[in-house]
Amino acid sequence: MNLSNTALGIELGSTRIKAVLIDENHVPVASGSFEWENQYDGGIWTYPMSLVQEGLQACFADLAMSVREKFGVPLTTVGALGVSAMMHGYLPFDQDDRQLVSFRTWRNTITGEAAEKLTKLFGFNIPQRWSIAHYYQAILNREAHVPAVAFLTTLAGYIHWKLTGEKVMGIGEASGMFPIDSTALDYDQGMIDKFREQTGIDLRSILPRVLPAGASGGTLTEAGARFLDPTGTLLPGIPVAPCEGDAGTGMVATNAVRPRTGNVSAGTSDFAMIVTEHPLAVHREIDMVTTPDGDPVAMVHCNNCTSDINAWVSLLQEFAGLIGADVDRGELFTRLFNKALEGDPDCGGLMSFNYFSGEGVTGLNEGRPIFARTPDASFTLANFMRTHLLSALATLKIGLDILTGTEHVAIDRLTGHGGFFKTPGVGQRLLSAAVGAPVTVLETAGEGGPYGMALLAAYMLQKTEGESLEDYLDNRVFADAKSVSLTADPADIEGFSAFLERYRKAMPLEMLAPEVL
């Protein structure tokens, strides 16, 4: 195997760090992973930076072992690499590169005042999880560290900096820090000026430099190689693509970077990304970000998706063990997801809210998972599982209705990826029921974001002059890709609509829950 023809993508997701190595034909040939969880510390959702490095090294070691087992060679180099991570959040550093406060992740809903004021100032929706909202909230709170902030970045930007020494990031990731001008392919200068007038701070002095897909993000330094691989096997000098966010890598992994295409990523959080053809009005439920090459994208982001499902599956797995029926967790997920398809289309009167944390689309700063039913509901295992699967998509559907209904955004193709779609046909069919349109899942969808990051690294390495990311993906990567498209039955569509109507009516229950639980 010629390692110099490969490309490596590493993504730090909410519950797993995963690496995917692809060959010159863009086929995944090896992978590695590391499981982790966020921590709720002092009212902040966070990950310690020590765990970030530990997880990266464990993930890379797992990948290296896979390469050695499959090909009999040590993983000394790759043709190009790139890193992606959960978008947004807050990682400030001082002029001596010292971290000033613990990492504040996208999951925090503690910046409501800042998000509201910035949205009014810019005439552009600024969600609570965006980096600029966290920074401005720290300013409003008069936090002691604020005067020392010399560099502000995201988790992906931090790792890219550690690997290359470069304070840069891909434009899609940057669009979750601060609004982007898609014509200039840079931060919106008018909004930069408004922020300076408001605060006296020039954001260009502290934000990472913006790079489009295909540009060089630097090379792996000796220190960067040791940061990733402390054994000394990995050699420095590898070209590194601009880091990207999980939203951008999801678009690439599903070939959804052209206008009128979109994708839904569904895991711990879920979000829909639709590449738009025209400007949109300001909606607090809709984020405007960009593709990795800078085109505007309407994003419906929901903080909560599969966490509640995972918790119930763990409970059922514990019960199975209690009666001596130990079952593989992956097999249990598959069986329970398939069981959901046997349920009533409207879930038979059962109701669930999957809110582990606050939810911007529905205006909640805190969340509490709730399961409820009427006395006469059809309380079966099939309906129970279907309820939790539809609940995982309900908030996303509320946001998508604004795009397709109010803003008349056209969607020619919608592709799903992430853990929610791992069981063939189930999540895909239920998403189709939610949106009332066909949903496609690619054969490579299970690889998700790290595969998309590997493709961006390959694009940087292999593109010809003038070859756009869209053309590269269409002609070189996905021309012969295997995929499955499904359209929900009319009964499923009507059932989801009925469930969502009850969901909206029951929302006061979830709004009250943080006060009493």
Side-chain angles (χ1 to χ4, degrees), residues 245-452:
D246 50 357
T249 58
M251 284 186 275
V252 173
T254 55
N255 193 22
V257 295
R258 284 193 187 277
R260 299 172 66 99
T261 65
N263 79 90
V264 171
S265 173
T268 303
S269 63
D270 61 345
F271 48 84
M273 311 286 295
I274 312 298
V275 188
T276 65
E277 297 178 292
H278 58 83
L280 307 184
V282 176
H283 297 278
R284 294 297 276 140
E285 303 89 345
I286 307 296
D287 304 1
M288 291 305 299
V289 291
T290 77
T291 65
D293 52 355
D295 287 336
V297 175
M299 179 182 189
V300 180
H301 185 283
C302 306
N303 289 344
N304 303 277
C305 185
T306 60
S307 293
D308 200 27
I309 296 170
N310 296 343
W312 283 109
V313 171
S314 293
L315 182 73
L316 294 171
Q317 186 179 27
E318 184 180 349
F319 170 73
L322 183 66
I323 63 173
D326 292 332
V327 60
D328 175 77
R329 185 173 175 83
E331 180 184 352
L332 183 58
F333 267 102
T334 298
R335 291 191 179 192
L336 291 171
F337 268 57
N338 280 315
K339 189 67 178 178
L341 296 183
E342 300 175 17
D344 296 325
D346 67 349
C347 302
L350 309 186
M351 181 51 58
S352 166
F353 290 93
N354 66 336
Y355 290 6
F356 268 55
S357 62
E359 194 60 79
V361 172
T362 47
L364 275 78
N365 288 330
E366 290 187 67
R368 299 290 186 272
I370 293 175
F371 172 72
R373 59 191 175 101
T374 57
D376 60 346
S378 178
F379 191 24
T380 65
L381 179 61
N383 279 341
F384 180 79
M385 286 307 303
R386 191 180 185 97
T387 297
H388 289 294
L389 296 187
L390 295 197
S391 175
L393 298 173
T395 310
L396 186 73
K397 168 65 171 172
I398 291 171
L400 280 171
D401 282 349
I402 297 171
L403 281 184
T404 57
T406 306
E407 291 289 345
H408 307 292
V409 171
I411 306 173
D412 291 340
R413 186 179 74 242
L414 192 63
T415 308
H417 74 113
F420 189 79
F421 302 101
K422 192 170 183 179
T423 301
V426 180
Q428 188 178 1
R429 176 173 153 184
L430 296 180
L431 177 60
S432 177
V435 300
V439 173
T440 299
V441 172
L442 296 165
E443 190 178 58
T444 52
E447 303 293 351
Y451 176 62

